[in-house]
Structures are given as C-alpha cells and as structure tokens.
Amino acid sequence: MRAIFTEAASLLGRHVESVTRVAGGDLSFVARLSLSGGDSIIAKRGDRVVEEARMLAAIAATGTAVPQILAVQDDLLLLEDLPSSGRLARNWAHLAELLDHLHTPSQAAYGWDRDYGFGDVTIPNGHSDNWVAFWAEKRLRCHVPHLSAQLAHRVERLADRLGEHIPNRPPSALLHGDLWGGNILVGQDRISGLIDPACYHGDREVDFAMLGLFDQPPQIFYDACGLAQGWEERQPVYRLWPLLVHVRLFGGAYHQQAGACLEQLGL
C-alpha cells in the first residue's frame, strides 16, 4: 500500500496521511485515502481502471450520478469519496429516476468497443446490430468451455433458441452492467452515485435482472421504471449471465441458481 501514498500524492499534488483498505473489493484493490486538510478520496488499483474511468465518464454524460474522476494513470484510479451511510431501501424512487436518465434510448450499437472483465473472467464485447446474436455469443456461449458438461449443454440449447425469449432489436440503452446494492452508494436521504460499472449498450432489462438477483426491489420501483410488457418473463435469460460469471468465479450454490434460471425457461 505504500506505493499508493507516493503515486496518489504525485497525481493530486497533496499529501496522503493514511490508507485504509475498503471492504468489498473482491476483484480489485480499493482503499480510502485520507488527505492533508481532512478530506478523503477513493483509490482503485487494477489493470482495468483506465477502462473503468471511461465507463464512469459515459454514465456521467447521461446525467446519472457517479463519483468524480480525480486522476487516472496506468493501474491507479482516484475517485471522489461519495457519502455511503444511507440505505437503499429508502431510496428506490430516486434509483428509478437515476436509471431513467442512464437508460435513455440511443442509436448506439449493442455492445462496447473494448472487452472488460470480472477478475479472471473476460467480458467479451464488440458491436452488433442484433441483440439476440450479441447475447447468444457474448453472454452465453462464451462461458460454455468453462462449465460442467451438463450445464454447458443447457446453456447451448438456450443460445440456439434465444430468439424465442428476447427481442432482436430492443431500444439500445447504456447499461451499468453490474448493478446491485453494493454498487449503489446512498447518502443520508438520496443516492449519491453508482460505482464499479461494466458498461455496454443493450436492453435496459439487463440491469434490472442483475439488481433483482442480489436485492429485493419493491413492486412500486418496477412500476416507476415503466418496463416493457413481458419483462418478467425475460428476466431469467438476463439473470443467467451474471450467474454464469459467478459460477466461474466462486462456484458453489451459483450452479444451482443458474440451473433454476434454465428450468424457468423450460430447459
């Protein structure tokens, strides 16, 4: 951690008093740096932080709250330390407003111009004008070589029949890509910002699938978001992708959860 003292001080032109590791950085090093004068910032170290900064800038351009990027260089990203002592349970209405900004329909092709990743699991991207083809290749078949034979076969079957479950050309929206409660910072009475994105363009229902996987949004939240008819039937398709990532990263019960999604889809 000592290297961060020197690098951050050089980038900011300020003295760093202390470095405290932040809990929850499973896939990268995250720390809170106390600076001279009493304020603090967040430092992230990893080989994908330059791309993360691009993603945060893309989200900010939609008018959605994210931490300000203070500096980025090589493998070090310095961010504004946003308030995070509040509770998401009291701020679902505000989250619906933020996602309305984030998910504004655009003319962007599905995907992203660079690959990304969670830990050792690559997120292949690229661009496509066909959402079914993108999801089949970049979010389902990409996992097949890394799964058990039985699970891989079921995922392949879904990829082959994917057009029966999701639309070819839904409105293209900027997705956060890893939207769950741990990546939504909440201040005293409102959401202060979204963090740790894995952005690409696609069907906005993907972000809701991820959110519903680890959190329990109330029905009033979904109603406020104005999702397209049939969105609930499509959720198992979109929820399967983060579950497959978790199967590869952590194993365990995620195998059963992935299987349950496939059962919901009749596979």
Side-chain angles (χ1 to χ4, degrees):
M1 288 197 293
R2 181 164 296 278
I4 288 185
F5 275 86
T6 305
E7 293 175 52
S10 175
L11 288 170
L12 296 171
R14 296 181 62 182
H15 180 65
V16 178
E17 301 280 357
S18 65
V19 178
T20 305
R21 183 145 193 183
V22 175
D26 294 328
L27 304 177
S28 61
F29 179 86
V30 184
R32 178 171 284 106
L33 278 54
S34 297
L35 307 179
S36 57
D39 50 343
S40 62
I41 65 168
I42 296 297
K44 294 191 70 174
R45 187 181 289 286
D47 58 6
R48 298 186 177 102
V49 296
V50 172
E51 191 62 20
E52 180 176 346
R54 286 185 69 228
M55 293 174 173
L56 288 169
I59 293 175
T62 69
T64 307
V66 294
Q68 180 184 354
I69 300 166
L70 304 175
V72 58
Q73 179 176 287
D74 300 327
D75 65 347
L76 182 62
L77 173 62
L78 304 179
L79 298 168
E80 176 186 10
D81 188 6
L82 293 175
S84 58
S85 61
R87 296 177 56 198
L88 180 56
R90 297 178 179 177
N91 288 276
W92 289 113
H94 188 210
L95 181 60
E97 291 179 27
L98 290 181
L99 295 181
D100 195 45
H101 287 290
L102 178 63
H103 294 152
T104 300
S106 74
Q107 298 302 312
Y110 304 125
W112 193 252
D113 60 354
R114 300 182 190 178
D115 293 347
Y116 200 55
F118 295 125
D120 294 331
V121 177
T122 299
I123 303 173
N125 283 311
H127 291 300
S128 175
D129 62 359
N130 186 303
W131 179 240
V132 170
F134 177 86
W135 197 262
E137 297 302 323
K138 307 296 188 180
R139 295 297 180 265
L140 296 179
R141 289 196 175 100
C142 61
H143 294 297
V144 165
H146 310 281
L147 303 175
S148 67
Q150 182 184 37
L151 184 57
H153 176 67
R154 296 172 73 189
V155 171
E156 283 272 26
R157 287 178 60 204
L158 174 59
D160 290 342
R161 299 170 52 184
L162 195 58
E164 301 173 16
H165 298 281
I166 62 174
N168 277 327
R169 290 179 174 79
S172 177
L174 180 63
L175 306 179
H176 178 280
D178 192 17
L179 190 69
W180 67 288
N183 289 340
I184 303 168
L185 300 184
V186 184
Q188 289 290 341
D189 57 359
R190 63 190 286 107
I191 292 166
S192 56
L194 307 181
I195 61 170
D196 295 349
C199 289
Y200 56 102
H201 291 90
D203 188 341
R204 67 189 295 242
E205 293 174 10
V206 172
D207 273 348
F208 295 97
M210 182 70 185
L211 187 62
L213 184 58
F214 295 110
D215 301 275
Q216 295 182 319
Q219 187 60 45
I220 192 172
F221 164 75
Y222 292 114
D223 293 343
C225 291
L227 296 168
Q229 185 176 6
W231 71 271
E232 290 174 296
E233 287 73 27
R234 293 184 286 273
Q235 289 289 279
V237 177
Y238 294 144
R239 194 170 292 139
L240 181 62
W241 175 65
L243 285 171
L244 294 176
V245 171
H246 280 70
V247 166
R248 293 176 60 186
L249 286 172
F250 308 115
Y254 293 114
H255 286 274
Q256 288 73 38
Q257 291 185 52
C261 274
L262 289 160
E263 286 179 15
Q264 287 181 273
L265 298 167
L267 297 163

